[in-house]
Amino acid sequence: QSNVTVYGVVDATVESVQAKGGNAADIERRTRVTSNSSLIGFRGTEDLGNGLKALFQVESGFNADGSGTSTLATRDTFVGLTGGFGTVQLGKLTTFMRQAGAKVDFNPAATGIGFQAATYGTIGGIKTGVDERINNAVMYTSPNFSGFAAQLAYSAGENKLDRTAPAEDVNANAYQLAAAYENGPLYVSAGYALSKDPSAAANPGNGNFAGTFGLGGNASDKLKTARVAAKYTFPTNTSISALWDQTKYEADLSIASTEAKRTAWMVGAEQKFAGNQAVYLQYSRSQKIKEEVCVDGIGCADLDGKTQFAQWTLGYTYSLSKRTMVKAYYTRINNQRESNVDFYLSSIGGVRADQDPTGFGLGLRHTF
Amino acid sequence: QSNVTVYGVVDATVESVQAKGGNAADIERRTRVTSNSSLIGFRGTEDLGNGLKALFQVESGFNADGSGTSTLATRDTFVGLTGGFGTVQLGKLTTFMRQAGAKVDFNPAATGIGFQAATYGTIGGIKTGVDERINNAVMYTSPNFSGFAAQLAYSAGENKLDRTAPAEDVNANAYQLAAAYENGPLYVSAGYALSKDPSAAANPGNGNFAGTFGLGGNASDKLKTARVAAKYTFPTNTSISALWDQTKYEADLSIASTEAKRTAWMVGAEQKFAGNQAVYLQYSRSQKIKEEVCVDGIGCADLDGKTQFAQWTLGYTYSLSKRTMVKAYYTRINNQRESNVDFYLSSIGGVRADQDPTGFGLGLRHTF
Amino acid sequence: QSNVTVYGVVDATVESVQAKGGNAADIERRTRVTSNSSLIGFRGTEDLGNGLKALFQVESGFNADGSGTSTLATRDTFVGLTGGFGTVQLGKLTTFMRQAGAKVDFNPAATGIGFQAATYGTIGGIKTGVDERINNAVMYTSPNFSGFAAQLAYSAGENKLDRTAPAEDVNANAYQLAAAYENGPLYVSAGYALSKDPSAAANPGNGNFAGTFGLGGNASDKLKTARVAAKYTFPTNTSISALWDQTKYEADLSIASTEAKRTAWMVGAEQKFAGNQAVYLQYSRSQKIKEEVCVDGIGCADLDGKTQFAQWTLGYTYSLSKRTMVKAYYTRINNQRESNVDFYLSSIGGVRADQDPTGFGLGLRHTF
């Protein structure tokens, strides 16, 4: 029987949210008590000799507020080996590309309604999956060379059954190739993700692209994301960060094809002060979705609408200790006329085009 | 990484239950193996200095018998701060008023079919929620003054969307204000609970009052409970306890209104003997529900029926140690002609008017 | 507060599976990442004096690959007492008969697609429940006499409600009586299981026999299993094992009756070598199902078809330590013309008559 570490986080906030604007009926202000990525985990390592180690982790998210149903192993859960050759893991995993979103975000642990993946982790609100853990994963991470590491991740789609006539092999596998450098004050990463048949049920992190972008039903479609992120901390305890993400959805049926592309970016800054406090401000923006639909023998049409939107978050943290923090934040999504995007985490629900979700909150975060 | 305490209870009994009487077909006697509020939890505190402490707890109930689906954080789960000012907690919480029901109940840990909240925690079998944990909760408990403490609890309804036409703001928030005194042999508590729109989905502990008491659909209805409880232990190891609960459901639509009120009470006594044994007997009664329906311009009508019912429980416990106990019990609900109330916990299911659920059981309770 | 041991297993493999043959469309080869009976548990004992001990365990399976929903207490979970009189447990339990299947199986922990209960734990693919844990269980195991122990297990059906007209008492209880001897190199066990109304919902481990074998609807039907198993390890680190299982399903309605009987057996061998490696090969076979349907006043008819099938598994394990293992395996089910049996664990889904599921895998198993 080995050494198991029990660890976790309970993060809960009292929030006031609303969504107004546009022509639809307002979503009136209401008070919520929200659990923000609360989790409990069990992990450990075993030294196998010759520099080789076995790794395991079982991590489960839970709603600290009693809402919904919380189940086991919903967060990073794996078995793996690490040694001179690098690290191999099997399970449900966070990749470098997902990590990049968290690295540049100044919300504690990149959680809550202020987390801004709504812009760079979706196409018009449909999640690309890059900011989600990948299921059925095998991941190789290189050894760390003075802060630099490369990573190759594979997620098995597991549903290679023909689903429509005429018979067609679908194979909703996903791949990510990324590199990250982290040393002292500097963090930089770059990565590329390819998701085949991203609307297949086996990719729960992904949304229904096939239904949204012109070609319904099953298609040999693809989702491609390139992402670059960086963060730098100055000796003044000032940190700045930026992220750029370009995602393209492509579908090609025998008689028609469609492509939807959007570019998103984020910038942020945080100032620590008085030893245990910090303020941060971050802004991100999803540019207009460039959508083109082509029908064989007829031609192509652009379907671009006013689909831009942006989000900004202002936050403050007060650390009572290394493990316990009081936090406060305000965030707002500005949707343009044809955008109805909601918060990425703890969404309000029912947001309609041109409505702007806003919220502020105050709460406690404890890490154990 | 901090100190986490893993704790829990496995409580399982072999039971024989039935429900007979009235004109409906009997529910024949059957044997069950029942898990009684088995749980596993993780909790800890962190000393923040200056008398301030951070608190956390993650507690999950589970069915030790393999029945149903057991998920995480289904019991008291919270993050909080405690200090000279008192205690503030956010999460899913047990209030003083819920605690009152457990304090006066002599069933070990107030669990099993012998637990009598069927009378004082329901209106005619529809749960009022007072004997359930509250979700989306913020709770303040005063410092303890020689055994006395006061408490204010708030539960966010989180569903302030218009749901029916004509548009109406619903806001299923709930509030509780209570005080408790516990010092040496004496425990006394009193509290008042107000639940707005108690039939809303956001209040899972509450039943469908709107559908039962004359006015269906969405209503600006309210549920109000006053509860007093006390317990006293004599030097002879004899304990006596009592609880009184009055609950009123009110709904007021533009053309009609309804009100349903019931009073319930319980008395109990326990005698400890031989160092590690105890016998207890408790009786509780829900008086007739006084229901009045008024239609504007027409008048009011009383809809009182023979809705009284009572429950009594006789129990015996034999402690093998401080943590392990053998227990046995018999309980019976006497339903009047228009009452079809089932056990509050581990119900039989399908009980019809005038049928009397009875059950006896024998089992083991282990606390770790 | 007592001593709680946290323990578990994370077992994940990369697999390639397919099912081909027969006239139906092939199930094409696809890659999967599969979690094999990964689990986390909490257990402990308390010494009560006089040779008496209290036992508890809470064990939960989880999908390490992010698939599906993993909940609490889905594996052996109980409270119990053990002493000179033997052991009594209440909860969700593994019996000697279920254990027999695991004892003779050389797959590490008898898990994965190579586990062969598909033959001896089903009738034509419908699970008999003998290789599942029993719910609502009370189990008595005798003291161990030089390796010999006897066991009586009871599983309460809990659904003794009349379900069909004409009214009929159904009582889906199950019973098992078994004995096992394990001493040095030899393991032998024999057991008999009786399941009443095995198609009732209360027996989740069992399949829909009533719907499959000629008489639909509710019936006072029975499932009876006799099982013998043995294993012997030679001084050369060679182990051989065998299991024989005969299961009979009987239903008797007022106007007709049906009986389906099948015999299954398994043999296996494992050779350990080089201190930390092993290879194993095992073969099992389910004989033709002998089915007879009788209609009162008309006579009986045999419905035997080509329902035989067999499975074989070849495996290799390489232990990196006592707790960490690399494993590889190949397995194949050969279905005859009227058999469409899938893997018992981690099934492919959609296998049709005469198709042969095959798979190979490679992965890691870590015990903590």
Side-chain angles (χ1 to χ4, degrees):
Chain A
Q1 226 282 330
S2 60
N3 203 34
V4 181
T5 299
V6 183
Y7 65 94
V9 172
V10 190
D11 183 325
T13 48
V14 184
E15 293 180 346
S16 179
V17 298
Q18 63 172 20
K20 298 193 172 173
N23 297 318
D26 289 344
I27 296 181
E28 299 292 342
R29 177 170 299 287
R30 89 278 320 261
T31 305
R32 310 192 299 189
V33 174
T34 301
S35 175
N36 303 297
S37 304
S38 298
L39 70 95
I40 186 162
F42 304 86
R43 67 183 163 209
T45 59
E46 183 195 15
D47 198 327
L48 300 168
N50 299 316
L52 197 64
K53 277 184 187 174
L55 311 168
F56 78 90
Q57 180 171 298
V58 186
E59 198 174 291
S60 308
F62 64 86
N63 291 313
D65 57 359
S67 302
T69 298
S70 307
T71 56
L72 290 168
T74 52
R75 298 171 56 96
D76 289 45
T77 297
F78 56 82
V79 60
L81 288 175
T82 189
F85 64 91
T87 302
V88 172
Q89 288 161 285
L90 287 85
K92 182 179 180 84
L93 297 166
T94 289
T95 63
F96 275 0
M97 288 184 76
R98 174 167 190 265
Q99 216 169 51
K103 283 276 183 191
V104 299
D105 191 286
F106 291 108
N107 294 291
T111 187
I113 57 176
F115 177 55
Q116 292 179 223
T119 49
Y120 55 75
T122 76
I123 300 184
I126 307 177
K127 296 183 179 184
T128 64
V130 172
D131 292 281
E132 303 291 317
R133 291 166 191 87
I134 57 172
N135 288 349
N136 304 312
V138 184
M139 187 163 82
Y140 167 74
T141 308
S142 78
N144 191 304
F145 302 106
S146 313
F148 175 87
Q151 186 178 78
L152 181 62
Y154 164 74
S155 168
E158 300 199 346
N159 67 334
K160 202 186 179 180
L161 268 174
D162 299 345
R163 295 186 303 176
T164 51
E168 175 189 18
D169 273 355
V170 299
N171 194 343
N173 294 332
Y175 306 84
Q176 291 188 21
L177 178 64
Y181 175 80
E182 189 163 17
N183 203 340
L186 179 63
Y187 163 81
V188 188
S189 77
Y192 178 79
L194 167 64
S195 211
K196 290 179 171 175
D197 194 16
S199 305
N203 280 338
N206 295 343
N208 181 15
F209 292 102
T212 305
F213 296 109
L215 298 173
N218 177 39
S220 298
D221 50 357
K222 292 188 184 64
L223 191 68
K224 299 171 179 173
T225 296
R227 175 177 287 191
V228 183
K231 183 176 173 183
Y232 189 80
T233 302
F234 296 93
T236 55
N237 284 322
T238 312
S239 297
I240 55 168
S241 70
L243 181 145
W244 177 89
D245 181 290
Q246 190 171 77
T247 299
K248 191 162 64 169
Y249 170 77
E250 300 170 349
D252 196 349
L253 292 180
S254 51
I255 53 158
S257 66
T258 185
E259 183 185 298
K261 188 168 87 171
R262 78 94 186 89
T263 303
W265 51 268
M266 171 190 157
V267 291
E270 181 193 60
Q271 179 64 51
K272 291 192 167 136
F273 61 97
N276 65 342
Q277 297 174 61
V279 287
Y280 59 89
L281 178 65
Q282 52 195 36
Y283 176 86
S284 62
R285 187 169 172 81
S286 171
Q287 306 288 22
K288 185 186 285 198
I289 301 166
K290 296 193 177 300
E291 186 182 355
E292 189 185 58
V293 176
C294 298
V295 180
D296 282 13
I298 297 183
C300 297
D302 285 346
L303 298 177
D304 302 4
K306 286 191 73 77
T307 54
Q308 311 97 308
F309 66 99
Q311 181 174 5
W312 62 270
T313 302
L314 175 67
Y316 166 76
T317 62
Y318 184 99
S319 295
L320 296 167
S321 75
K322 285 197 172 175
R323 293 168 37 211
T324 304
M325 170 191 285
V326 176
K327 56 182 197 170
Y329 48 81
Y330 175 84
T331 192
R332 178 182 185 98
I333 291 178
N334 286 311
N335 280 314
Q336 290 294 309
R337 208 173 55 224
E338 294 175 46
S339 173
N340 65 344
V341 175
D342 203 339
F343 300 130
Y344 193 83
L345 298 175
S346 303
S347 59
I348 297 178
V351 172
R352 292 179 192 148
D354 214 1
Q355 282 189 328
D356 296 341
T358 64
F360 59 86
L362 173 69
L364 269 179
R365 178 178 179 80
H366 178 76
T367 304
F368 59 93
Chain B
Q1 223 284 327
S2 60
N3 203 34
V4 181
T5 300
V6 182
Y7 65 95
V9 171
V10 190
D11 182 324
T13 47
V14 184
E15 292 180 346
S16 179
V17 298
Q18 64 172 21
K20 298 194 171 173
N23 297 318
D26 289 344
I27 297 181
E28 298 292 341
R29 177 169 298 288
R30 89 277 320 261
T31 305
R32 313 192 298 190
V33 174
T34 300
S35 175
N36 304 296
S37 304
S38 299
L39 69 95
I40 186 161
F42 305 86
R43 66 183 164 208
T45 60
E46 184 197 13
D47 198 328
L48 300 168
N50 300 317
L52 198 63
K53 277 184 186 173
L55 313 167
F56 78 90
Q57 179 171 301
V58 186
E59 198 175 293
S60 309
F62 63 85
N63 291 314
D65 55 0
S67 301
T69 298
S70 308
T71 56
L72 290 168
T74 51
R75 298 171 57 97
D76 290 44
T77 296
F78 56 83
V79 60
L81 288 175
T82 189
F85 65 91
T87 303
V88 172
Q89 288 162 285
L90 286 85
K92 181 180 181 83
L93 297 167
T94 289
T95 63
F96 275 180
M97 286 183 76
R98 175 169 190 265
Q99 219 170 49
K103 283 277 184 188
V104 300
D105 192 286
F106 291 106
N107 294 291
T111 187
I113 57 175
F115 177 54
Q116 292 180 221
T119 48
Y120 56 77
T122 75
I123 299 184
I126 307 177
K127 296 184 180 185
T128 64
V130 171
D131 292 281
E132 302 292 316
R133 292 165 191 87
I134 57 173
N135 287 349
N136 305 311
V138 185
M139 187 164 82
Y140 167 74
T141 307
S142 77
N144 191 305
F145 303 107
S146 312
F148 176 86
Q151 187 178 77
L152 181 61
Y154 164 74
S155 168
E158 299 199 348
N159 66 334
K160 202 186 178 181
L161 269 174
D162 299 345
R163 296 187 302 176
T164 53
E168 174 189 18
D169 272 357
V170 298
N171 195 344
N173 294 332
Y175 306 85
Q176 290 187 23
L177 178 64
Y181 176 81
E182 189 164 17
N183 203 341
L186 179 64
Y187 163 81
V188 187
S189 76
Y192 178 78
L194 168 63
S195 211
K196 291 179 172 177
D197 195 16
S199 306
N203 280 337
N206 295 344
N208 182 15
F209 292 101
T212 305
F213 296 109
L215 298 174
N218 177 39
S220 298
D221 50 357
K222 291 187 184 64
L223 192 67
K224 299 172 178 174
T225 296
R227 176 177 287 191
V228 183
K231 185 176 171 181
Y232 190 80
T233 302
F234 295 92
T236 55
N237 284 321
T238 313
S239 297
I240 55 169
S241 71
L243 182 145
W244 177 88
D245 182 289
Q246 189 170 79
T247 298
K248 191 161 64 168
Y249 171 76
E250 300 170 350
D252 195 349
L253 291 181
S254 52
I255 52 157
S257 67
T258 186
E259 183 185 297
K261 188 168 88 171
R262 77 98 185 87
T263 303
W265 52 268
M266 172 190 156
V267 290
E270 182 191 60
Q271 179 63 50
K272 289 192 168 138
F273 62 97
N276 66 341
Q277 297 175 60
V279 287
Y280 58 89
L281 178 64
Q282 52 195 36
Y283 176 86
S284 62
R285 185 168 174 80
S286 171
Q287 306 290 21
K288 185 186 284 198
I289 301 167
K290 296 192 177 300
E291 187 181 354
E292 189 185 57
V293 177
C294 299
V295 180
D296 283 12
I298 296 183
C300 297
D302 285 346
L303 297 178
D304 302 3
K306 284 192 72 78
T307 54
Q308 311 95 308
F309 65 100
Q311 181 173 6
W312 61 271
T313 302
L314 174 67
Y316 165 76
T317 62
Y318 183 99
S319 295
L320 296 166
S321 75
K322 284 198 174 174
R323 292 168 39 214
T324 303
M325 171 191 284
V326 176
K327 56 182 197 170
Y329 47 82
Y330 175 83
T331 193
R332 177 183 186 98
I333 292 179
N334 286 310
N335 280 313
Q336 290 293 310
R337 207 174 55 224
E338 294 174 48
S339 173
N340 66 343
V341 176
D342 203 339
F343 299 131
Y344 192 85
L345 298 174
S346 302
S347 60
I348 297 178
V351 172
R352 291 180 193 146
D354 213 3
Q355 282 190 329
D356 296 340
T358 63
F360 59 87
L362 173 68
L364 268 178
R365 177 177 180 82
H366 178 76
T367 304
F368 59 92
Chain C
Q1 225 283 327
S2 61
N3 202 34
V4 181
T5 299
V6 183
Y7 65 94
V9 172
V10 191
D11 182 326
T13 48
V14 184
E15 293 180 345
S16 179
V17 299
Q18 64 172 21
K20 298 195 171 172
N23 297 318
D26 289 344
I27 297 181
E28 297 292 341
R29 176 169 300 286
R30 90 276 320 262
T31 306
R32 313 192 297 189
V33 174
T34 300
S35 176
N36 303 297
S37 305
S38 298
L39 69 97
I40 186 161
F42 305 87
R43 67 183 163 208
T45 59
E46 183 196 13
D47 198 327
L48 301 168
N50 300 317
L52 197 64
K53 277 184 186 173
L55 312 167
F56 78 91
Q57 179 170 298
V58 186
E59 198 174 294
S60 308
F62 65 86
N63 291 313
D65 56 359
S67 302
T69 298
S70 306
T71 56
L72 290 168
T74 52
R75 298 171 57 95
D76 289 44
T77 296
F78 57 82
V79 59
L81 288 176
T82 189
F85 65 91
T87 303
V88 171
Q89 288 162 285
L90 285 85
K92 183 180 179 83
L93 297 166
T94 289
T95 63
F96 274 0
M97 287 183 76
R98 175 168 189 264
Q99 218 170 49
K103 283 277 182 188
V104 300
D105 193 286
F106 291 108
N107 294 290
T111 187
I113 57 176
F115 177 56
Q116 292 179 222
T119 48
Y120 56 76
T122 76
I123 299 185
I126 308 176
K127 295 183 180 185
T128 64
V130 172
D131 291 281
E132 303 291 317
R133 291 165 191 86
I134 56 172
N135 288 349
N136 305 312
V138 185
M139 187 163 81
Y140 167 74
T141 307
S142 77
N144 192 306
F145 303 106
S146 313
F148 176 86
Q151 186 178 76
L152 180 62
Y154 164 74
S155 168
E158 299 197 350
N159 67 334
K160 203 186 178 181
L161 269 174
D162 298 345
R163 296 186 303 176
T164 52
E168 173 188 19
D169 272 356
V170 299
N171 194 343
N173 294 331
Y175 305 85
Q176 290 188 22
L177 178 64
Y181 175 82
E182 189 163 18
N183 202 340
L186 179 64
Y187 163 81
V188 188
S189 77
Y192 178 78
L194 167 64
S195 212
K196 290 179 172 177
D197 194 16
S199 306
N203 280 337
N206 294 343
N208 182 14
F209 292 101
T212 305
F213 295 110
L215 298 174
N218 177 38
S220 299
D221 50 357
K222 292 187 183 65
L223 192 67
K224 299 172 179 175
T225 296
R227 177 177 286 191
V228 182
K231 185 177 173 182
Y232 189 81
T233 301
F234 296 92
T236 55
N237 284 322
T238 313
S239 298
I240 54 168
S241 70
L243 181 145
W244 178 89
D245 181 290
Q246 189 171 76
T247 299
K248 191 161 64 168
Y249 170 77
E250 300 169 349
D252 195 349
L253 291 181
S254 52
I255 53 159
S257 67
T258 186
E259 183 185 297
K261 188 168 88 170
R262 78 94 187 88
T263 303
W265 52 268
M266 173 190 156
V267 291
E270 182 192 60
Q271 179 64 50
K272 290 193 167 137
F273 62 97
N276 66 342
Q277 297 174 60
V279 287
Y280 59 89
L281 178 65
Q282 53 195 37
Y283 176 85
S284 62
R285 185 169 173 81
S286 171
Q287 306 288 24
K288 184 186 286 197
I289 301 166
K290 297 193 176 299
E291 185 181 355
E292 189 185 58
V293 176
C294 298
V295 180
D296 282 12
I298 296 183
C300 298
D302 285 345
L303 298 177
D304 303 3
K306 285 191 74 76
T307 53
Q308 311 96 310
F309 66 99
Q311 181 173 6
W312 61 271
T313 302
L314 174 67
Y316 166 77
T317 62
Y318 184 99
S319 296
L320 296 166
S321 75
K322 284 196 174 178
R323 293 170 36 214
T324 304
M325 171 191 284
V326 176
K327 56 182 197 169
Y329 48 82
Y330 175 83
T331 193
R332 178 183 185 98
I333 292 178
N334 286 311
N335 280 313
Q336 290 294 309
R337 208 174 55 225
E338 293 174 48
S339 171
N340 65 344
V341 176
D342 203 339
F343 300 130
Y344 193 85
L345 298 174
S346 302
S347 60
I348 297 177
V351 173
R352 292 180 192 145
D354 213 2
Q355 281 191 328
D356 297 339
T358 64
F360 59 87
L362 174 68
L364 268 179
R365 177 178 180 82
H366 178 75
T367 303
F368 60 93

